């Protein structure tokens, strides 16, 4: 059938123009190309004058409409003639989706039949833009449909796909021919015919409704899409002996209704295809299954669910995503547990290293357990070690996930995390606990000891899976260590004796304590303490500590014994309170006074990390970081400082006032932050402080007041060190008993104002008062005499006030008037500028009861200084 050219195309163009549409002239050569350059008409509607010049010459031409904003937001939906057989099914799906009325309006508005017997339906979109032209549904061409050109293409490129479009749109920036185009305008010579309505009856639909209509049309796309292993695993070779994998068995036996329950519900089934909507009934069709009966796949066409849109899912792939977050190995294992599949034959590891056992601590060895003594129960406390897990590391990603799962499941004993990464705790050659940060080799060695890792290899002859022992690759270990977090219990610190938890309970079981994050690695064999502290056990503990161990030391004053006992009890209470502690300075008038013995009591009870005093502040910082990061000893000792050494470094000031310490680890670029939970100890003769460190030191002073003090004898327990070797566990039990008795009495405290150390000082004051030990921090006034700077400046300001009263002076006048009292740096008095700098740095600070105040002489344009006296300390009143 052919169609003659209409006599008046201008009238048809006028009809289209009056309906708000943009008109184009089309060549009558079958190419369907515009006569004119038409890019401008994508944004500017053609005019009747242009129509007259295009269609008034009598030349055969066709008409086209430009779609999109230029034509008032009109879009055209085209069903090719080969797709009309789908129209009935499409209509049913539209109705099932709640789009029946909109679809009917579209199919009964302005509808044109194309020369290829397709349908062109127009719609005006409201509330949104018209999208670009889109192919919604296509299929592969059948062989009898191939053109000569297509056959030639297949000869040249055999893997080419010949596609036939079924449904498409003409949208923004596109155009389409309309009636009464005919004759030679179309290659077939057939005309475009109006089937329904016209330009004035174009229906208007909301943008979201039209989007839903396009989505339904997309459901009829029949082009094969490559399947992804994550959504539809590829078929695998048959198992030996006719075995079936769980996923394959599930694919054959499961139904979509059970798999998709709670996500989708079936709306309508047409042939093999089932159309699904949301389970809650909101909205229309969102997915299909069964379109290809030979390869049943789920296609989801909407966002808002776990499924990725426009991706085929097998039954096994959908189940794995919904139930196991995409983990096919876990899904297969669960399906196998449910009875799917057959057990594949597998040759297990031919040899597995012997089972690893641990008793938790050498201190619990029965051969080294202490003999029970009166007042304390004896006996070791053992820990169970979990069985050795197996891990398939055939796939590196699965191997890494498997290690992390073992960490999260608590299957890796004695492995913890802290700032910097995973770590473990072990004892060094001195029997001191050490915290080892794991490197790649450490982690690999650890997993070799604790995990039976293997790879699966398929025997090419029998197709049998065989397990072969293999260690985790170093790069996999590096990847694990490179994470920012690990599913491991956090290691807050190492303790070497029973300690009090923050809730007041006693931590006494060796090993890791989840409640506090502390790891108890006993320095000495632990005694099992009685459930309740009795009056008799408290009396025995006090006798051991006060009347035996500490009785014969030449304390200068009662405060020195009290301060030392408070320090000795601090490691047991360290987890019970917050905040820092003062540094304990054990000093004496001469060598042989007992300083090292007092330090050794800490060593035998808790263990100490001994280190020499560094040469400079940089080395001091490194030393502090090393002790906090690498050692587990709760007491750090700077032993045997030079005679008369002055503690004045600002590094020490920062350490003793912070709950945390941050620094860069040697050999690393990253910074780590560590809890400052150690007791810091220094020993030396005639030690002094300066700067801000005077108030940060707790003094313990000894004075034997005799020549050759190391020759003294007649001590109650004889030689202390041999006694400690035998009785350290008894002493630890006694110290713990003292603390437990205080807790049982309600943990009374006595308020002590001590700045950053107030919580610790108040708690220890209450504990020592409960024990009847007097003198805790009673030497604070005497301690000021140990501070060289404080003493020097206090005397200087007192003399200044006594000489000049409250009169303001220049620095030059002060130096001239008090030449023998001005503070010095070395042997020479300071210059006027240097003294001015010193005064400015100390203005407002009290030295004793005096402070220096700056006075500005605005008349002479100079700074003057005077001394004020605090007449009533703590009341806020001053004498000027």
């Amino acid at each position: 059938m052919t169609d003659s050219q209409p006599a008046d195309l201008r009238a048809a163009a006028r009809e289209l123009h009056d309906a708000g549409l943009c008109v184009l002239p089309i060549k009558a050569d079958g190419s369907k190309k515009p006569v004119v350059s038409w890019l401008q008409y994508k944004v500017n509607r053609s005019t009747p004058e242009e129509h007259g010049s295009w269609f008034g010459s009598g030349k055969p031409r066709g008409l086209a409409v430009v779609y999109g904003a230029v034509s008032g937001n009109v879009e055209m939906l085209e069903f090719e003639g080969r797709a009309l057989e789908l129209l009935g099914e499409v209509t049913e799906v539209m109705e099932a989706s709640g789009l029946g009325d909109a679809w009917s309006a579209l199919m009964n508005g302005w509808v044109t039949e194309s020369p290829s017997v397709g349908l062109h339906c127009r719609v005006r979109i409201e509330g949104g833009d018209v999208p670009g032209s889109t192919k919604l549904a296509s299929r592969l061409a059948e062989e009898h449909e191939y053109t000569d050109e297509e056959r030639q293409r297949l000869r040249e490129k055999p893997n080419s796909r010949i596609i036939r479009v079924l449904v498409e749109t003409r949208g923004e920036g596109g155009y389409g021919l309309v009636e009464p185009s005919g004759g030679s305008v179309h290659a077939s010579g057939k005309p475009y015919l109006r089937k329904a309505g016209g330009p004035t009856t174009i229906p208007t639909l909301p943008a979201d409704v039209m989007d839903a209509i396009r989505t339904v049309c997309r459901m009829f796309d029949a082009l094969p899409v490559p399947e992804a292993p994550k959504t539809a695993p590829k078929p695998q070779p048959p198992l030996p002996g006719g075995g079936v994998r769980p996923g394959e068995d599930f694919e054959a036996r499961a139904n979509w209704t059970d798999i998709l329950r709670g996500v989708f519900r079936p709306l309508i089934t047409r042939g093999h295809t089932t159309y699904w909507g949301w389970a809650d009934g909101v909205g229309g069709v969102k997915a299909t299954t069964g379109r290809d009966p030979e390869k049943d796949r789920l296609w989801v066409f909407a966002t808002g669910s776990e499924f990725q849109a426009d991706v085929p899912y097998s039954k096994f792939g959908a189940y794995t995503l919904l139930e196991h977050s995409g983990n096919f190995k876990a899904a297969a294992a669960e399906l196998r547990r449910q009875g799917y599949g057959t057990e594949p034959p597998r040759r297990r590891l031919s040899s597995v290293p012997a089972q690893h056992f641990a008793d938790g601590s050498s201190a619990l060895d029965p051969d080294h357990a202490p003999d029970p003594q009166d007042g304390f129960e004896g006996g070791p406390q053992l820990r169970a070690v979990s069985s050795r897990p197996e891990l398939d590391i055939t796939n590196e990603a699965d191997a890494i996930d498997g290690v992390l799962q073992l960490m999260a499941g608590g299957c890796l004993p004695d492995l913890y995390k802290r700032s910097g990464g995973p770590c473990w705790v072990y004892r060094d050659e001195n029997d001191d606990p050490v915290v080892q940060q794991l490197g790649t080799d450490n982690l690999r060695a650890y997993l070799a000891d604790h995990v039976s890792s293997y790879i699966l290899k398929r025997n090419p002859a029998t197709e049998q899976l065989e397990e072969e022992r293999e260690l985790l690759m170093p790069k996999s270990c590096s990847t694990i260590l490179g994470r920012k977090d690990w599913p491991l219990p956090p290691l807050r610190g190492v303790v070497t004796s029973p300690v009090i938890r923050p809730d007041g309970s006693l931590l006494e079981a060796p090993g890791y304590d989840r409640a506090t994050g502390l790891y108890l690695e006993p320095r000495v064999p632990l005694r099992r303490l009685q459930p309740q502290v009795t009056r008799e056990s408290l009396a025995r503990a006090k006798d051991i500590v006060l009347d035996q161990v500490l009785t014969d030391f030449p304390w200068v004053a009662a405060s020195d014994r009290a301060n030392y006992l408070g320090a000795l009890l601090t490691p047991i209470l360290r987890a019970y309170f917050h905040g820092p502690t003062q540094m304990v300075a054990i000093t004496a008038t001469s060598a042989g006074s007992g300083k090292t013995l007092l330090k050794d009591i800490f060593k035998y009870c808790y263990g100490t990390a001994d280190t020499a005093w560094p040469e400079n502040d940089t080395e001091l910082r490194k030393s502090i970081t090393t002790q906090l990061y690498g050692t587990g000893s709760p007491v750090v000792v700077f032993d045997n400082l030079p005679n008369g050494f002055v503690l004045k470094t600002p590094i020490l000031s920062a350490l003793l006032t912070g709950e945390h310490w941050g620094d860069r680890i040697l050999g690393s670029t990253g910074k780590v932050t560590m809890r400052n939970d150690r007791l810091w100890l220094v020993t030396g003769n005639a030690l002094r402080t300066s700067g801000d460190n005077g108030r940060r030191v707790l003094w313990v002073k000894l004075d034997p007041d005799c020549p050759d003090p190391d020759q003294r004898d007649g001590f109650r327990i004889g030689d202390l060190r041999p006694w400690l070797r035998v009785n350290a566990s008894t002493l630890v039990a006694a110290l713990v008993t003292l603390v437990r008795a205080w807790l049982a009495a309600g943990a009374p405290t006595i308020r002590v104002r001590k700045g950053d150390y107030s919580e610790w000082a108040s708690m220890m004051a209450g504990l020592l008062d409960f024990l009847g030990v007097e003198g805790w921090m009673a030497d604070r006034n005497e301690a000021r005499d140990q501070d060289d700077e404080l003493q020097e400046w206090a005397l200087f300001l007192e003399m200044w006030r006594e000489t000049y009263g409250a009169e303001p002076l220049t620095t030059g006048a002060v130096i001239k008037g008090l030449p023998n009292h001005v503070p010095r740096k070395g042997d020479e008095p300071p210059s006027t500028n240097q003294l001015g700098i010193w005064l400015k740095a100390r203005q407002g600070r009290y030295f004793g009861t005096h402070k220096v105040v700056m006075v500005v002489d605005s008349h002479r344009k100079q700074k003057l200084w005077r001394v004020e006296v605090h007449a009533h300390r703590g009341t806020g009143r001053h004498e000027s």
Side-chain angles (χ1 to χ4, degrees):
M1 173 180 177
T2 59
D3 179 59
S4 59
Q5 177 69 30
D8 189 2
L9 288 178
R10 282 191 297 180
R14 170 63 70 178
E15 178 189 22
L16 297 171
H17 181 79
D18 291 345
L21 305 173
C22 180
V23 179
L24 285 180
I26 301 299
K27 295 179 180 179
D29 59 1
S31 66
K32 297 192 287 187
K33 294 182 178 180
V35 175
V36 297
S37 176
W38 70 286
L39 293 181
Q40 60 176 315
Y41 299 110
K42 290 185 178 184
V43 292
N44 299 309
R45 194 153 65 106
S46 58
T47 65
E49 291 74 15
E50 291 173 315
H51 301 163
S53 65
W54 293 340
F55 305 114
S57 62
K59 292 182 180 180
R61 285 180 178 170
L63 287 168
V65 169
V66 181
Y67 294 105
V70 73
S71 288
N73 254 27
V74 173
E75 179 182 21
M76 186 263 282
L77 179 68
E78 178 181 359
F79 270 76
E80 298 287 352
R82 63 182 71 90
L84 292 183
E85 61 185 20
L86 300 174
L87 197 54
E89 186 174 352
V90 172
T91 300
E92 287 188 37
V93 176
M94 293 292 182
E95 292 174 350
S97 296
L99 299 170
D101 291 342
W103 182 248
S104 177
L106 183 64
M107 298 303 295
N108 292 286
W110 179 22
V111 181
T112 298
E113 181 181 276
S114 70
S116 59
V117 201
L119 293 180
H120 296 185
C121 309
R122 288 85 176 183
V123 60
R124 195 179 302 276
I125 296 177
E126 183 179 56
D129 296 331
V130 176
S133 300
T134 307
K135 292 177 174 58
L136 300 177
S138 303
R139 64 170 172 79
L140 292 178
E142 299 177 3
E143 188 173 356
H144 70 273
E145 298 176 315
Y146 293 167
T147 65
D148 292 340
E149 292 80 4
E150 291 169 342
R151 294 181 190 279
Q152 180 60 33
R153 192 200 318 168
L154 287 174
R155 294 188 192 100
E156 297 174 1
K157 296 182 179 180
N159 293 327
S160 297
R161 297 201 309 176
I162 308 301
I163 297 173
R164 295 290 182 264
V165 176
L166 300 176
V167 186
E168 62 180 326
T169 67
R170 290 287 188 273
E172 186 66 45
Y175 68 89
L177 276 67
V178 300
E179 70 278 6
S181 299
S184 57
V185 173
H186 192 273
S188 66
K190 297 179 181 180
Y192 289 81
L193 302 175
R194 186 169 296 183
K195 296 288 291 184
T200 60
T201 63
I202 299 175
T204 299
L205 295 178
D208 59 339
V209 172
M210 192 59 201
D211 185 60
I213 289 175
R214 294 189 208 98
T215 297
V216 171
C217 292
R218 285 172 46 232
M219 295 180 184
F220 292 85
D221 185 77
L223 282 180
V225 175
E227 295 184 339
K230 290 186 177 181
T231 60
K234 295 180 179 179
Q236 296 179 325
L239 292 176
V244 180
R245 295 178 177 84
E248 298 168 345
D249 194 13
F250 182 82
E251 198 73 34
R253 293 165 50 191
N255 65 76
W256 284 112
T257 302
D258 292 335
I259 298 171
L260 301 178
R261 183 174 288 112
V263 181
F264 294 112
R265 62 186 178 93
L267 297 179
I268 185 175
T269 299
R270 175 99 179 220
H272 295 288
T273 305
T274 299
Y275 298 87
W276 302 79
W278 295 128
D280 58 8
V282 176
V285 174
K286 303 297 180 184
T288 66
T289 57
R291 178 160 296 281
D292 183 355
E294 295 184 1
K295 189 182 288 187
D296 190 2
R297 295 292 183 259
L298 168 70
W299 289 85
V300 179
F301 299 91
T303 58
S305 71
E306 293 90 339
F307 297 100
Q308 185 177 346
D310 301 318
V311 172
Y313 286 85
S314 66
K315 292 178 180 178
F316 184 39
Y319 165 80
T320 300
L321 175 65
L322 292 175
E323 303 298 333
H324 297 279
S325 301
N327 187 330
F328 281 99
K329 184 175 293 185
E334 175 59 22
L335 291 177
R336 188 178 299 283
R337 191 187 67 80
Q338 296 178 18
Y340 287 92
T342 57
E343 187 67 32
R346 176 184 293 185
R347 186 172 67 82
R348 304 306 300 255
L349 286 173
S350 57
S351 62
V352 178
Q355 176 66 49
H356 172 75
F357 294 95
D359 63 0
S361 169
S362 61
L364 299 180
D365 189 333
D367 293 337
H368 296 88
D371 294 331
Q373 298 192 22
D374 294 338
F376 307 108
E377 296 184 14
Q381 303 175 20
L382 300 178
R383 291 180 293 162
V385 178
S386 58
S387 60
R388 184 186 187 115
E390 295 183 353
L391 180 62
D392 181 356
I393 62 171
T394 307
N395 178 277
E396 183 183 11
D398 292 339
I400 293 172
D401 290 343
V403 172
L404 296 175
Q405 289 172 5
L406 290 177
M407 288 181 178
C411 301
L412 301 182
D414 302 324
L415 200 60
Y416 312 99
K417 68 176 179 180
R418 63 172 181 164
S419 176
C423 60
W424 65 44
V425 181
Y426 71 96
R427 286 180 180 265
D428 63 12
E429 61 276 7
N430 296 320
D431 210 26
D432 292 322
V434 176
V435 181
Q436 174 67 52
Q437 203 73 34
L438 267 61
T440 297
D441 292 341
N442 299 127
L443 180 59
R444 195 164 188 249
Y446 174 90
L447 294 174
D449 287 342
H450 292 82
V451 179
S452 295
S453 56
Y454 61 88
I455 59 173
L456 287 177
K457 290 188 175 180
R458 189 177 299 278
N459 188 311
T462 64
E463 288 294 319
Q464 184 180 25
L465 291 176
E466 299 177 353
E467 296 178 3
E468 183 176 308
R469 177 77 170 143
E470 187 64 77
L471 298 182
L472 202 67
M473 293 186 295
K475 66 177 183 177
S476 300
C477 296
S478 297
T479 300
I480 293 171
L481 295 176
R483 292 167 56 88
K484 66 179 180 179
D485 194 17
W486 303 265
L488 292 170
L491 182 66
R492 308 295 185 193
V494 177
V495 293
T496 56
S497 70
V499 297
I500 307 301
R501 297 187 181 95
D503 63 1
S505 60
L506 181 67
L507 167 57
E508 57 179 332
Y512 183 74
D513 181 57
R514 289 190 175 274
T516 60
L518 297 176
Y519 189 98
L520 175 53
E521 185 72 15
R523 177 67 180 181
V524 296
L526 300 181
R527 298 191 175 280
R528 186 170 298 156
L529 301 171
Q530 296 177 353
Q532 303 295 330
V533 178
T534 64
R535 187 173 301 172
E536 292 75 17
S537 62
L538 174 60
R540 173 168 170 72
K542 290 175 66 175
D543 176 71
I544 292 171
V545 175
L546 299 174
D547 297 332
Q548 296 185 43
V549 175
L550 301 184
T551 188
D552 292 318
F553 283 92
W555 315 105
V556 172
S559 60
D560 298 300
R561 186 182 75 145
N563 291 350
Y564 181 80
L565 179 58
L568 190 61
L569 293 171
T570 293
I572 299 173
L573 282 165
R574 194 62 188 85
Y576 186 60
F577 64 87
H578 299 282
T581 62
Q582 291 174 289
M583 172 177 275
V584 180
I586 302 177
T587 188
T589 54
S590 62
S593 301
K595 304 183 302 299
T596 303
L597 284 178
L598 289 178
K599 184 262 292 184
D600 284 349
I601 295 175
F602 282 99
K603 179 178 180 179
Y604 280 97
C605 290
Y606 308 115
T608 59
D610 290 9
T611 182
W613 188 268
E615 296 179 356
N616 52 55
D617 284 357
T618 300
E619 294 302 318
L620 176 59
R621 172 174 284 278
K622 291 179 181 179
S623 178
I624 291 170
T625 301
T626 299
Q627 299 302 327
L628 287 173
Y629 196 67
T631 67
S633 300
V635 181
V636 181
V637 179
F638 294 102
D639 198 15
N640 285 322
L641 270 65
N643 188 56
F645 188 83
V646 179
L647 301 168
K648 61 183 298 184
T649 168
I651 300 297
L652 202 60
S653 302
L655 171 69
L656 298 177
T657 53
E659 293 188 53
H660 295 85
W661 176 267
D663 197 10
R664 184 179 67 84
I665 300 300
L666 189 63
S668 171
T669 58
K671 182 178 180 180
V672 295
T673 301
M674 300 150 285
R675 297 174 71 239
N676 181 15
D677 55 359
R678 311 302 170 87
L679 183 67
W680 300 89
L681 197 76
V682 293
T683 67
N685 292 324
L687 296 179
R688 312 284 293 177
T689 61
S690 183
D692 292 329
N693 289 323
R695 61 187 181 87
R696 295 177 171 91
V697 172
L698 183 71
W699 290 99
V700 176
K701 299 184 290 294
L702 301 177
D703 184 5
D705 193 24
C706 68
D708 301 322
D710 57 332
Q711 299 301 312
R712 290 173 297 153
D713 202 353
F715 303 121
R716 177 171 177 180
I717 59 175
D719 195 337
L720 183 60
R721 286 191 183 90
W723 186 91
L724 286 172
R725 293 189 191 102
V726 177
N727 297 284
S729 60
T730 301
L731 178 57
V732 170
L735 293 170
V736 173
T737 299
L738 297 180
V739 175
R740 292 179 67 209
W742 171 69
L743 288 168
T749 61
I750 296 176
R751 173 64 173 161
V752 176
R753 295 183 179 181
K754 199 62 178 174
D756 295 323
Y757 315 108
S758 295
E759 182 177 353
W760 166 66
S762 300
M763 186 180 298
M764 202 57 65
L767 171 56
L768 296 180
D769 181 72
F770 169 78
L771 298 175
V773 177
E774 298 179 352
W776 170 250
M777 291 190 175
D779 62 340
R780 281 186 285 180
N781 291 331
E782 291 80 358
R784 296 190 185 96
D785 296 337
Q786 302 290 124
D787 189 320
D788 288 349
E789 180 184 2
L790 179 62
Q791 192 174 47
E792 181 182 28
W793 277 81
L795 292 174
F796 168 53
L797 295 183
E798 288 176 13
M799 182 57 67
W800 184 344
R801 177 73 183 197
E802 182 178 326
T803 305
Y804 295 104
E807 178 186 353
L809 301 175
T810 64
T811 53
V814 173
I815 294 173
K816 183 177 180 180
L818 301 170
N820 297 324
H821 297 87
V822 175
R824 296 170 179 261
K825 190 172 185 179
D827 296 330
E828 297 295 325
S831 65
T832 57
N833 288 337
Q834 183 65 63
L835 181 59
I837 293 172
W838 290 354
L839 292 173
K840 187 174 181 180
R842 290 164 176 79
Q843 66 171 325
R845 174 185 172 185
Y846 278 99
F847 293 87
T849 58
H850 293 65
K851 70 176 180 179
V852 64
V853 177
M854 183 174 67
V855 179
V856 177
D857 187 339
S858 57
H859 179 68
R860 296 183 179 180
K861 308 298 183 184
Q862 63 179 353
K863 297 177 182 177
L864 304 178
W865 302 90
R866 67 189 177 105
V867 175
E868 292 185 358
V869 180
H870 194 297
H872 301 279
R873 180 180 295 273
T875 65
R877 291 180 292 158
H878 296 72
E879 177 187 336
S880 60

